Amino acid sequence: MAVNEYQQQVKVLSDQLLELQRPIRILDAIKWPSEVEKTFFKDKGRELPRLPENHYQNQELGFDPVQQRDRFLHLRRETRRKLGRSDGLGGILCRTIDQYLLVIDMLANRGSPEFGRYSRALYGSARDHLRGDRKTLRQLGEKLGEIFSMPGAAHLVRPYEKNISATDAVDILQDRLGNYFDPGDIRVILSDGIVSDAAAGGDYIKINQDASFTEFDLQVLEVHEGWVHVGTTLNGRQQPWATWLSVGSPRVTACQEGLAVLMETLTFSSYPGRALKVSDRVVAVDMAEQGADFLDVYHFFTNRGLPPADSYKITQRVFRGGTLSGGSVFSKDLSYLRGFVENVNFIRSAIQSGVPEILPMLFVGKITLDDIPILYQHYLEGTITGPHYIPEMFRDLNGLYVWFGFASGMSVINMGRVQRHFQTLFAKMPKVAPLYEKVIDSAVD
């Protein structure tokens, strides 16, 4: 098949996939009414949340599951027939189609034990082992939870209050993101229809009009929602043939969310409380998977000192779509920690393998790490367009190479012995206020 003919075939099949996935909105299909939270706190958190009777059955999907399944199956057959079973891009398309088939089954089973089974097939389980390691996600989540809950983390909490209104946040973010994106490519807008404080769309970021923010919050939103989620969408939209790279099935969630969390750390935008939230989500998923009900998970976090509103939010994220009695849960929140670890290991491996030039492909669109070698080959051949929006440290890879090169080299050091050496010094230190408070006081004077 000639190159031009092949590219046209890829585009036709890719556009068909875009059209089929358009009505599928996972989070909209499993969201809870805001009244549920109000009633829960009115009952002082002593009773399970009260979802409306037949809530999921009465919540329209926006598509017919049987018809949509048949259409995806037809597209999979057409992809294999036209591109061949061994074609790289065709394989990515077929694996994406398989994901949407699972999504249809998951959403058709909302509120039932089967929902959790399909969710695990899509997003994994907290008891899954990390790729190439014996540790489970739950074990890593617990270890990170210990680190980010240490007294030293509390010492670093800056005196930032949530004193930035939603309206001001819109203006600030629009100005900052205007320095990263081309004029008119991104909008930051107020919204009264989202549960979270902020959410990214194709070329916009919605800000909850009832939320307020700290400076830290805005730093995170800028790189997490803006640079990564919107940036990869816009890069995918610029693809002339592989147009499906502008949308994400669950198979790309870990790479996307992990890359977003990684960018928070590389730009020093994150903070211990934010990192703790990522590890807490793994613990919440595991507890619910093992049979803890909504109240068990909610009170686990309140008893640990998390504010009631935050404890409700992290618990609600896990139980939406599943059963309040536990066992059947929405495990998407594992993606943040799993994806972070996998992205870090991918970057380190690319550097040690002598192929750092593939790293900008992390931003080419909505992808998995396993897709990158295939996409890079087709980039060299002209079917895939390189990413337009790339954070500076991925555009000039020198600093990134050195950073991860040192990190890889230091991994051979016995950190237990190192820590025991320095602990003898730390034990003699007086317990004082954080250094930054003195710096701030001096600046004020």
Side-chain angles (χ1 to χ4, degrees):
M1 186 186 300
V3 174
N4 288 345
E5 182 183 355
Y6 173 79
Q7 292 172 336
Q8 288 295 341
Q9 292 281 24
V10 169
K11 178 168 174 53
V12 168
L13 295 166
S14 183
D15 286 348
Q16 290 177 18
L17 177 60
L18 285 183
E19 189 60 31
L20 286 182
Q21 65 80 40
R22 200 177 306 279
I24 300 177
R25 294 291 177 263
I26 297 175
L27 299 186
D28 285 345
I30 62 175
K31 66 183 178 183
W32 291 1
S34 58
E35 292 74 20
V36 175
E37 181 178 1
K38 296 175 183 176
T39 303
F40 179 80
F41 284 118
K42 184 178 179 181
D43 295 335
K44 302 188 184 302
R46 292 179 298 214
E47 298 183 19
L48 290 174
R50 301 176 191 172
L51 288 174
E53 187 175 358
N54 298 321
H55 169 64
Y56 295 119
Q57 290 75 12
N58 294 330
Q59 195 159 320
E60 293 291 333
L61 287 176
F63 61 90
D64 181 279
V66 175
Q67 290 182 359
Q68 206 71 356
R69 166 174 273 277
D70 288 342
R71 290 167 181 159
F72 274 111
L73 288 172
H74 175 73
L75 179 59
R76 187 172 65 183
R77 289 192 297 269
E78 286 293 289
T79 300
R80 288 174 174 170
R81 184 177 67 84
K82 293 181 177 180
L83 299 183
R85 289 180 176 268
S86 61
D87 181 70
L89 295 184
I92 295 174
L93 275 169
C94 286
R95 288 189 289 274
T96 303
I97 290 169
D98 289 341
Q99 287 273 295
Y100 281 117
L101 291 171
L102 288 172
V103 169
I104 291 171
D105 290 336
M106 181 181 74
L107 296 183
N109 285 277
R110 291 169 297 170
S112 77
E114 288 296 293
F115 176 90
R117 182 169 70 85
Y118 288 114
S119 177
R120 286 193 298 276
L122 289 165
Y123 301 104
S125 165
R127 296 295 170 101
D128 288 345
H129 290 269
L130 293 162
R131 193 183 296 189
D133 197 273
R134 295 180 180 179
K135 295 184 182 65
T136 65
L137 279 170
R138 171 67 192 257
Q139 290 173 317
L140 179 59
E142 288 179 334
K143 178 61 178 178
L144 291 175
E146 292 175 7
I147 293 172
F148 296 127
S149 299
M150 286 179 173
H155 291 174
L156 296 174
V157 176
R158 297 186 182 185
Y160 285 165
E161 299 179 359
K162 286 186 175 290
N163 55 4
I164 301 175
S165 69
T167 302
D168 288 341
V170 167
D171 293 337
I172 294 170
L173 281 174
Q174 185 70 66
D175 181 63
R176 292 181 182 177
L177 291 170
N179 296 322
Y180 183 83
F181 293 96
D182 295 338
D185 271 7
I186 188 171
R187 296 171 294 135
V188 184
I189 56 178
L190 280 178
S191 173
D192 61 356
I194 57 175
V195 176
S196 57
D197 289 344
D203 56 3
Y204 61 84
I205 297 175
K206 289 182 178 180
I207 301 296
N208 190 328
Q209 66 178 17
D210 298 320
S212 54
F213 302 87
T214 67
E215 172 58 29
F216 266 145
D217 294 331
L218 298 189
Q219 291 175 10
V220 168
L221 290 175
E222 179 183 358
V223 298
H224 187 115
E225 306 292 349
W227 293 11
V228 176
H229 291 329
V230 175
T232 52
T233 298
L234 295 178
N235 285 337
R237 287 181 178 179
Q238 293 191 3
Q239 294 299 321
W241 315 111
T243 56
W244 86 85
L245 289 175
S246 63
V247 298
S249 69
R251 70 185 294 270
V252 310
T253 303
C255 184
Q256 271 284 295
E257 298 298 355
L259 184 61
V261 174
L262 175 59
M263 288 307 305
E264 294 177 26
T265 62
L266 290 177
T267 57
F268 296 100
S269 301
S270 196
Y271 51 96
R274 165 68 178 172
L276 180 61
K277 186 182 295 184
V278 171
S279 56
D280 278 348
R281 290 173 178 174
V282 176
V283 175
V285 170
D286 186 61
M287 290 181 64
E289 282 187 320
Q290 301 309 310
D293 68 16
F294 187 99
L295 289 179
D296 293 331
V297 178
Y298 169 77
H299 288 302
F300 171 82
F301 289 108
T302 56
N303 291 339
R304 217 182 61 184
L306 202 66
D310 293 340
S311 298
Y312 176 89
K313 184 176 295 185
I314 195 172
T315 307
Q316 182 258 351
R317 290 172 62 99
V318 173
F319 282 87
R320 53 187 170 170
T323 57
L324 293 173
S325 57
S328 175
V329 301
F330 187 50
S331 54
K332 173 182 177 288
D333 276 354
L334 300 174
S335 304
Y336 297 82
L337 183 55
R338 180 200 297 275
F340 175 81
V341 173
E342 291 180 349
N343 272 279
V344 168
N345 287 337
F346 180 86
I347 293 172
R348 290 173 61 182
S349 297
I351 287 172
Q352 290 186 322
S353 299
V355 289
E357 62 271 13
I358 69 172
L359 295 179
M361 297 299 286
L362 284 163
F363 295 87
V364 76
K366 307 298 185 185
I367 61 168
T368 73
L369 296 175
D370 291 339
D371 295 340
I372 290 180
I374 297 170
L375 295 172
Y376 187 70
Q377 179 63 40
H378 283 274
Y379 159 72
L380 296 177
E381 295 171 359
T383 302
I384 299 294
T385 298
H388 176 64
Y389 292 116
I390 312 173
E392 188 57 39
M393 70 278 290
F394 282 87
R395 189 177 296 278
D396 180 350
L397 294 168
N398 284 285
L400 201 69
Y401 189 104
V402 172
W403 177 277
F404 282 94
F406 271 127
S408 297
M410 291 175 64
S411 65
V412 302
I413 296 173
N414 187 322
M415 282 304 298
R417 292 182 178 179
V418 173
Q419 283 181 305
R420 285 192 293 274
H421 168 76
F422 284 111
Q423 279 171 353
T424 59
L425 299 177
F426 299 152
K428 301 174 184 178
M429 288 178 57
K431 305 303 180 185
V432 297
L435 179 63
Y436 73 81
E437 290 189 353
K438 294 182 179 180
V439 173
I440 291 175
D441 289 342
S442 298
V444 171
D445 291 342

